[in-house]
Amino acid sequence: DELDMIVNDIRPAMKKVEPNTIDTWDNLYNFFMGRVRNNLHVCLCFSPVGDHFSRRASQFPGLINGCTIDWFLPWPLAALTAVSSKFIGDFQMACSEDAKSALMLHMG
């Protein structure tokens, strides 16, 4: 069984880090799972264009709330314009609709 191999392979690491702990199968497994929890990092990549990102964010809020978001690439112009239109489109402003549209395009 693969799990038994993992548990047996982690024995020297556990003996080094926790020499006073008895190396039972459960203790070895818990030590392994603790190391996985501390060292496992997952990278998810989503495009902000379209409805897929917002749909995933609403279906799985833990993806957004429990992570750090890093933007590695510049957003596409269509995505920036869509965001500015969403927030400024219905907002009452003391300017003409042409000026408002120009502002949304400028922000995109």
Side-chain angles (χ1 to χ4, degrees):
D1 184 34
E2 293 172 353
L3 193 53
D4 287 332
M5 288 174 36
I6 292 171
V7 167
N8 286 326
D9 288 344
I10 199 79
R11 186 181 315 269
M14 189 182 101
K15 284 289 192 183
K16 185 177 180 181
V17 174
E18 299 178 15
N20 296 331
T21 303
I22 301 171
D23 59 347
T24 64
W25 195 93
D26 288 335
N27 288 342
L28 290 165
Y29 180 75
N30 289 334
F31 178 77
F32 170 72
M33 291 305 291
R35 287 185 74 164
V36 169
R37 267 187 231 102
N38 291 337
N39 296 309
L40 181 66
H41 303 297
V42 177
C43 179
L44 298 174
C45 299
F46 293 102
S47 172
V49 178
D51 295 331
H52 295 296
F53 183 74
S54 62
R55 190 175 325 123
R56 293 287 190 273
S58 63
Q59 288 175 337
F60 307 103
L63 287 177
I64 305 301
N65 295 336
C67 68
T68 300
I69 298 176
D70 292 323
W71 305 110
F72 293 107
L73 299 173
W75 278 28
L77 184 60
L80 292 171
T81 307
V83 170
S84 65
S85 298
K86 166 118 173 104
F87 287 102
I88 296 176
D90 295 331
F91 188 73
Q92 295 293 333
M93 298 176 75
C95 65
S96 66
E97 285 299 316
D98 290 337
K100 190 181 211 179
S101 297
L103 177 64
M104 288 187 282
L105 286 175
H106 175 72
M107 291 178 75

